[in-house]
Amino acid sequence: MRLSAYFLPTLKETPAEAQIVSHRLMLRAGMIRQSSAGIYSWLPLGLKVLKKIEQIVREEQNAIGCHEVLMPTIQPADLWRQSGRYDDYGPEMLRIKDRHDRDMLFGPTNEEQITEIFAGSVKSYKDLPQLLYHIQWKFRDEVRPRFGIMRGREFLMKDAYSFDLDKDGARRSYNKMFVSYLRTYARMGLKAIPMAADTGPIGGDMSHEFLILADTGESEVACHKDFLDKDWSVSDIDFDGDLGPVVDELTSRYAATDEKRDAGAEAALGDDLVTARGIEVGHIFYFGTKYSEKLGAVVTDKDGENVTVEMGSYGIGVSRLVGAIIEASHDDNGIIWPESVAPYKVGLINLKVDDDDCTAACDDLYAKLSQAGVEVLYDDRDARAGAKFADMDLIGLPWQLAIGPRGLKNGVVEMKSRKTGEREELPAEAVLAKLAG
Ligand code: ATP
Ligand code: MG
């Protein structure tokens, strides 16, 4: 992409309304613009990151046999009256009337909708277990929308739902999702710690939140210090095998969100206890027959008896992750994208656009990299070199290439890693081999 023909409205000034670094950098890097409180437009650079995160989430859900669907944003109130949540939900729910004066709502979540779909389609134990998910915009009229897209009113969520014949099956689905979440976050370069979370009225220990530790996080959390340096990128997992022992091991140390903190357990930990703030990027939940009972999700078992299915739900804050990754990976000059979610892998800077040789060398490298399938943002604007370098650092692409008359005379391109700041001077062919390899 040629920057001269792109839409990248970066800001020089730090926006006064932004209280945390990810919000400031997203505005400055031209990723988002506010529409109204907690509601944002995604501009090209921001949308590209959002789509990459969404795709990683999608691939990891598909990998465990969770099937993608797409449910509507607008739901009928009657569905929520059946579960009893239409009255329970309170002012966070945006209630709407259609032209026929029917009560509708903008979905804050989809348990009712998915249970209705399941109940209308699945009648036999032979069709279980079933895992379904969608990635869809949600609306919650948050009391205090803040921190940009981190706590928005409109936000993108991946929500999955599991349907099983019994509690053991539900636990298997839960464990699959648990392990798949760790893989999902690891692919984004994140350390997300699974912590025991509140299960509300159902009780039991089947709820975990996944948290990224950051001073700007909204949750108070506590955990064993071993969890801080732990490598959470689980590999060599057989998702068809018994994941119970894997999950038991991963949860063997104390880790709890605010509501689940246990003074006794914490006293016993002594110096091994760490308290910190965290950003919740996912929440998984087993809730039994709470919705299946009300919405008639019943199947016949192998003896022909009716069984109400056991359910769980599994959320990932897709849009919140964009901010969370920036909170975890930035410096004074801007964002530092992990390669897996970077909007472009390479930023190519033409240091002297009015020099024909320089422009020809840039055009050539740009063409070759593009040909090799490398995503390049090519700064071909007529602007000062200093401003170009500053913009590249701000938007945080993993690799920066700079071509100017001086380097060209020596037959080299300057290549910089955004993460380490290391610079190398290499011939264009070597750059190509490195980046396209
Ligand atoms: P929170 O405690 O942060 O309000 P929640 O418990 O209401 O979260 P869930 O209903 O479990 O969240 O939603 C699943 C995921 O969606 C959360 O883990 C979070 O990452 C994301 N999420 C929830 N609310 C918002 C919001 N207002 N803006 C952006 N992302 C959100
Ligand atoms: Mg909430």
Side-chain angles (χ1 to χ4, degrees), residues 30 37 72 77 94 143 158 178 225 246 255 286 337 371 403 423:
L94 180 63
V143 201
K158 182 284 299 181
F178 185 109
K225 71 169 171 28
V246 180
Y286 161 75
W337 290 116
Q371 193 101 59
I403 299 183
R423 289 165 205 275

Side-chain angles (χ1 to χ4, degrees), residues 89 92 140 142 151 155 280 320:
Y89 217 91
E92 263 194 26
R140 293 181 186 174
E142 300 274 356
R151 180 163 300 282
F155 61 97
E280 182 194 324
R320 179 179 286 182

Side-chain angles (χ1 to χ4, degrees), residues 53-66 131 133 158 176-177 179-188 234 239 316:
I53 292 173
E54 185 182 325
Q55 187 56 22
I56 291 175
V57 170
R58 174 176 290 117
E59 285 170 15
E60 293 300 327
Q61 292 291 291
N62 292 346
I64 57 167
C66 192
L131 287 169
Y133 77 98
K158 182 284 299 181
K176 253 190 190 180
M177 211 46 97
V179 177
S180 116
Y181 271 37
L182 293 176
R183 300 223 305 195
T184 304
Y185 300 123
R187 279 185 65 184
M188 299 172 193
V234 288
F239 278 103
I316 288 185

